[in-house]
Amino acid sequence: MNALIDRGIIKEIASGNNFEYIITGDATFVDTDYKVLQSQSNDIFVKCMKITRNGLVDLCYLGNDYRTLAGMLPGLSLENANTIVAEILSCITKVKTNGFLSCQSMVLDKEKIFVDPNTMKVKMVYVPVSEKLFSTMTEFEEHLNNIINEISPDFDMADIPVVPQQVYVSGNTGNLLGAMKLTACDAPYPFEIRITEDDVLIGKKADLVDKVIDFNSAISRRHCRVIKQNGTFFIMDEGSANGTFVNNVRVEMGQKQPLQQGDIVRLANSEFRVN
């Protein structure tokens, strides 16, 4: 069930597996989400097009090339059920690491989760409006668990194929004596930044910084700087759009915040542990 429909915020018009969401209630269309959605649609989401109907924003979703999860569940083999669950979890992981989109705006409804019957590839539906379908991530996770249990009650996370990965290290490792490491807590793959120099610039634009973080678009091109003075490491924000935080306290522009073993550094919405 779509909570936005229940609350009268959007109205649905369906034609087969194609459908429209018309924004009718107290919510606003989020253009930034929509633009990101367009760039991601071929990989994660059902294709969405924005039109105007009688002065209202109308979001058109094209799902006719797929089958709904609800239509596939009867008679679904255990192998295919586990594949679909793994696909759903993969989509959610990509949204979490995207940096702009929110899982709370994803539709978790068997009628709105679409599957390619030949490959079991999953396409999700995202609603780019200011009101969220789920008020908290806890609510989202609970609903997700219910969906997973319905698809494959005995699903085990160990059923997801895992490709062994080495830790990706950004930049030259250098001599580790007297060095500091920022180890990613929530990256899509094992990742760490090893800092051996006295002045290191960190961001997502390779030709502007010394250490590159390429898995989160919410991180600025020049996001922060780590310096070493008298044996102590400090972090400074470089005017980033989404902020630099140490233990959930924002580092203001021009501030020099000391780092200690075990501190949690957050760049935008990506967390790193100081080692």
Side-chain angles (χ1 to χ4, degrees):
M1 187 66 68
N2 190 318
L4 297 183
I5 296 175
D6 295 343
R7 301 203 301 264
I9 291 172
I10 60 176
K11 175 183 177 182
E12 180 178 359
I13 300 176
S15 176
N17 285 345
N18 291 341
F19 61 98
E20 302 171 33
Y21 284 155
I22 303 173
I23 303 176
T24 57
D26 186 20
T28 55
F29 172 74
V30 181
D31 187 60
T32 302
D33 281 14
Y34 178 72
K35 289 178 179 177
V36 176
L37 183 62
Q38 296 309 297
S39 67
Q40 298 287 335
S41 59
N42 289 332
D43 186 34
I44 306 173
F45 299 111
V46 173
K47 185 174 179 59
C48 173
M49 296 186 300
K50 173 196 169 192
I51 62 174
T52 302
R53 182 192 292 267
N54 298 325
L56 299 175
V57 173
D58 186 353
L59 300 169
C60 303
Y61 295 86
L62 307 180
N64 270 350
D65 290 338
Y66 307 94
R67 292 185 62 189
T68 66
L69 175 60
M72 291 192 65
L73 273 180
L76 193 65
S77 71
L78 178 61
E79 179 181 1
N80 285 342
N82 286 343
T83 299
I84 289 172
V85 171
E87 279 284 322
I88 292 172
L89 294 175
S90 175
C91 290
I92 291 169
T93 297
K94 290 176 182 178
V95 171
K96 286 181 176 179
T97 57
N98 174 274
F100 289 102
L101 302 181
S102 169
C103 290
Q104 292 165 241
S105 292
M106 297 175 70
V107 180
L108 290 181
D109 186 325
K110 291 178 295 181
E111 295 287 351
K112 293 296 183 288
I113 296 175
F114 293 88
V115 182
D116 183 328
N118 297 314
T119 64
M120 299 299 122
K121 181 74 175 177
V122 167
K123 297 284 187 176
M124 308 289 287
V125 171
Y126 189 94
V127 187
V129 298
S130 56
E131 290 287 326
K132 305 298 184 187
L133 282 87
F134 301 96
S135 58
T136 65
M137 274 301 295
T138 299
E139 183 185 356
F140 172 84
E141 297 286 356
E142 289 175 352
H143 202 90
L144 174 63
N145 287 335
N146 291 337
I147 289 284
I148 290 174
N149 287 333
E150 192 165 353
I151 300 170
S152 181
D154 299 322
F155 180 80
D156 189 332
M157 293 297 287
D159 292 331
I160 302 177
V162 176
V163 179
Q165 293 176 303
Q166 293 183 337
V167 174
Y168 177 80
V169 180
S170 178
N172 181 21
T173 58
N175 184 348
L176 292 182
L177 184 63
M180 183 188 76
K181 292 192 299 184
L182 294 174
T183 303
C185 302
D186 51 8
Y189 48 84
F191 180 95
E192 67 182 28
I193 298 172
R194 297 182 185 178
I195 299 174
T196 58
E197 303 88 348
D198 291 340
D199 191 339
V200 174
L201 191 59
I202 300 171
K204 69 179 180 183
K205 185 70 170 174
D207 57 352
L208 296 179
V209 298
D210 304 303
K211 307 287 186 179
V212 179
I213 301 173
D214 61 0
F215 57 80
N216 187 348
S217 58
I219 290 174
S220 295
R221 294 183 301 170
R222 292 168 53 100
H223 196 101
C224 67
R225 183 184 300 274
V226 174
I227 62 174
K228 183 180 180 183
Q229 294 179 343
N230 299 321
T232 299
F233 287 97
F234 298 84
I235 193 166
M236 304 172 65
D237 187 75
E238 287 286 307
S240 64
N242 295 308
T244 299
F245 303 79
V246 177
N247 300 327
N248 289 323
V249 178
R250 186 163 192 152
V251 179
E252 300 297 338
M253 183 70 171
Q255 178 185 353
K256 193 169 63 173
Q257 175 65 36
L259 296 174
Q260 299 180 4
Q261 176 82 12
D263 281 348
I264 297 296
V265 172
R266 176 157 55 89
L267 308 181
N269 59 352
S270 288
E271 292 188 344
F272 300 81
R273 182 176 297 277
V274 176
N275 297 298

